[in-house]
Amino acid sequence: MSQSYQFPPGFHWGTATAAYQIEGAARLDGRGPSTWDRFSQQPGRVRTGETGEIACDHYHRFEDDVKMMAALGLKHYRMSLAWSRILPEGTGTVNQKGLDFYNRLVDCLLAHGITPHVTLFHWDSPWALEDRYGSWRSRQMARDFADYATVAVRALGDRVTHWMTMNEVLCFTYLGYGVGGLPPHAPGTVVGSKKEVWQTVHHAMLGHGLAVQAIRAATPRPCKVALVDNCVCAIPLTETPQDIAAAGLAFQDILCNGATVYPALTGRYSDLFIRRKTALGEMPDIQDGDMETIHQPLDAFGLNIYTGYYARHADNADGYEEMQIPEAYPKMNIFWLNFLPDAMYWLPRLIQTECGFKGDIYITENGCPCPDKLTPKNEIEDQDRIMFLRSYLRQLHRAIDEGYPIKGYFLWTLLDNFEWAWGTSQRFGIHYTRYETQERIPKASAKWYAEVIRQNRVV
């Protein structure tokens, strides 16, 4: 393997954001409330007490933010649309002012030579649908999501040619519905059984499949369609045949993998998921034709990669055991982000070897929070973030060097923003956001990433 860490010509370097985390303007120009508006308004749900009411005020500052992207040398940008900005009631009358904003944003990106990669849903579903029928608890949500996709693609599809249906099903289903306690993410709904939780996962995947069909039917020009998932990566403890096989078994069994990536890419729930959930009485209800709908042909698959788990061979009924991460194991500045750069190699490999996916792969998110503090020189010296990104990109290079079809990388994230239930207490951006003035200040990592882009290699 070359040690210059040079990436292939034409590799797509980008950054990623999400609408609710940056846009603000939550009550302007006809936008309807989302589940995250309501969730974050409840005392105690967001660590620092904020909502996305203002966030980074990107709604008013997008032109300067796009210029900031261009200054980095970016040619690709992953963004999301706010469903309730376009359809305030989730269905029915289209809010033209909402579409006008996205028209202006897309046009601005293209004017600066930046290709938009648009995610239709990044967790912020219209509150009206939660109020009407319980959001993802209802099959109707899948149909309404596909109708929303049709509206968005008809409006923007003459210029947008890269579409992603939804982001991280795990987070707005499994972590958004709880049994016996309040879940950590919106809509923050308590349900009566684990089967009901898994039913929301199934409905979301059904919505994905219907949306793929809707995109292909509505697009006025050829486009590429993807699903984005934060599959949990199983990393073999040793690169021996036994542990590699064990990691493959673990991959289909960890958290939601068997109910999200497996149905999307293979047309069925994973064997271990079916076995476990059937024994517990937790398998979701599946209607005739559902799995065929979910299993739509995809041009690309987006992987959000932050961390993972180690697995090894075991002489038990499962054939593997998941290893507990030791307390002293290195972490970034948040409890769940164990430093595991090998995930950038193993997850693309597992998507091919375990799910048989042969299309393009994009790393649609990768980054870390750091305790960024302004120096007296008004700088952010985030060497910890640079160390993290450099280590992960070297493993990504290994995967490309071995022939895995990885076409692009979107760093999470462009600027510090509303970090969901953590509020503004966690900073993932490569630009520092001074929230009281909305000033954006490039961190050392922004300058480092600009050089990565310029040289097309890990520097």
Side-chain angles (χ1 to χ4, degrees):
M1 181 173 65
S2 167
Q3 293 306 305
S4 70
Y5 297 106
Q6 194 75 39
F7 277 69
F11 188 78
H12 293 180
W13 295 105
T15 59
T17 64
Y20 191 73
Q21 293 184 266
I22 65 169
E23 283 181 3
R27 302 171 195 255
L28 293 184
D29 294 337
R31 178 187 177 277
S34 75
T35 51
W36 267 97
D37 288 308
R38 296 298 174 90
F39 182 87
S40 59
Q41 288 163 6
Q42 299 171 32
R45 290 300 189 109
V46 174
R47 172 167 292 202
T48 48
E50 296 106 344
T51 71
E53 181 84 18
I54 299 172
C56 302
D57 197 30
H58 179 72
Y59 190 82
H60 296 110
R61 301 169 185 268
F62 71 88
E63 290 177 322
D64 288 339
D65 288 342
V66 172
K67 290 176 183 176
M68 191 167 69
M69 297 178 211
L72 287 176
L74 291 177
K75 298 299 182 185
H76 298 270
Y77 174 55
R78 178 180 172 232
M79 53 176 274
S80 77
L81 309 179
W83 185 347
S84 65
R85 197 179 291 284
I86 294 172
L87 290 163
E89 296 297 317
T91 60
T93 303
V94 174
N95 177 30
Q96 188 58 46
K97 288 184 177 180
L99 280 178
D100 288 345
F101 166 67
Y102 293 117
N103 276 310
R104 294 193 300 271
L105 175 54
V106 166
D107 287 345
C108 185
L109 288 163
L110 293 173
H112 285 82
I114 300 170
T115 299
H117 298 244
V118 177
T119 305
L120 288 165
F121 180 68
H122 197 128
W123 306 1
D124 50 344
S125 52
W127 178 259
L129 302 184
E130 174 68 16
D131 206 31
R132 193 178 307 162
Y133 53 63
S135 292
W136 298 106
R137 287 176 284 170
S138 171
R139 286 179 67 90
Q140 184 60 40
M141 188 73 163
R143 291 187 283 267
D144 287 343
F145 177 61
D147 290 343
Y148 152 62
T150 297
V151 171
V153 173
R154 283 178 177 168
L156 302 172
D158 59 328
R159 287 151 292 155
V160 175
T161 56
H162 293 78
W163 292 98
M164 301 171 186
T165 55
M166 50 182 58
N167 180 80
E168 298 183 348
V169 171
L170 160 72
C171 293
F172 64 86
T173 55
Y174 188 85
L175 298 181
Y177 299 85
V179 179
L182 291 174
H185 284 194
T189 302
V190 177
V191 295
S193 68
K194 268 289 191 175
K195 177 175 179 175
E196 292 175 70
V197 175
W198 291 114
Q199 197 68 51
T200 69
V201 177
H202 182 75
H203 291 159
M205 294 308 301
L206 186 63
H208 154 72
L210 291 171
V212 174
Q213 294 175 340
I215 292 166
R216 298 203 189 281
T219 183
R221 59 185 295 193
C223 68
K224 292 189 175 182
V225 185
L227 171 66
V228 174
D229 201 32
N230 57 336
C231 320
V232 182
C233 185
I235 299 168
L237 181 63
T238 62
E239 293 191 13
T240 60
Q242 294 86 354
D243 280 358
I244 290 171
L249 290 169
F251 178 68
Q252 67 163 286
D253 197 27
I254 295 174
L255 275 182
C256 286
N257 288 4
T260 53
V261 62
Y262 271 81
L265 298 184
T266 72
R268 66 189 308 272
Y269 285 91
S270 75
D271 292 339
L272 281 174
F273 181 88
I274 293 171
R275 191 182 86 195
R276 294 198 196 286
K277 302 314 171 190
T278 300
L280 294 169
E282 296 177 1
M283 273 297 291
D285 295 328
I286 303 170
Q287 295 187 12
D288 289 345
D290 280 3
M291 303 314 294
E292 291 79 7
T293 298
I294 292 169
H295 184 213
Q296 293 298 304
L298 294 174
D299 304 293
F301 200 90
L303 296 172
N304 293 352
I305 302 178
Y306 293 94
T307 187
Y309 296 91
Y310 288 107
R312 65 181 175 186
H313 173 75
D315 292 323
N316 57 29
D318 299 327
Y320 81 93
E321 62 181 3
E322 178 186 325
M323 304 184 70
Q324 295 299 310
I325 299 290
E327 186 175 337
Y329 193 92
K331 291 179 172 61
M332 303 310 291
N333 194 44
I334 197 167
F335 76 95
W336 55 264
L337 213 174
N338 294 303
F339 181 72
L340 271 162
D342 284 356
M344 287 289 264
Y345 168 78
W346 282 100
L347 195 47
R349 175 168 168 168
L350 288 165
I351 288 293
Q352 273 212 349
T353 59
E354 302 306 312
C355 298
F357 184 68
K358 303 300 182 186
D360 293 344
I361 295 172
Y362 284 84
I363 308 307
T364 36
E365 289 183 25
N366 171 246
C368 66
C370 296
D372 301 321
K373 303 291 183 185
L374 282 169
T375 70
K377 295 181 180 180
N378 212 36
E379 296 177 331
I380 299 289
E381 299 174 346
D382 56 339
Q383 300 99 318
D384 41 2
R385 180 174 287 109
I386 293 171
M387 176 276 296
F388 177 94
L389 296 171
R390 182 185 285 130
S391 301
Y392 276 64
L393 285 175
R394 285 174 175 168
Q395 288 299 314
L396 184 62
H397 184 272
R398 177 191 175 191
I400 294 170
D401 211 42
E402 292 187 15
Y404 296 101
I406 301 158
K407 303 302 181 184
Y409 170 89
F410 294 85
L411 189 154
W412 185 269
T413 180
L414 179 68
L415 69 165
D416 297 332
N417 55 40
F418 176 81
E419 184 49 41
W420 307 112
W422 293 88
T424 57
S425 68
Q426 292 290 348
R427 293 178 177 271
F428 277 80
I430 56 172
H431 293 87
Y432 184 89
T433 302
R434 196 196 296 268
Y435 291 104
E436 58 270 24
T437 63
Q438 291 295 345
E439 180 185 5
R440 281 77 153 124
I441 301 171
K443 302 177 186 179
S445 57
K447 299 168 187 176
W448 174 84
Y449 191 46
E451 195 61 23
V452 169
I453 295 168
R454 190 183 74 80
Q455 296 192 35
N456 196 36
R457 70 180 186 91
V458 186
V459 297

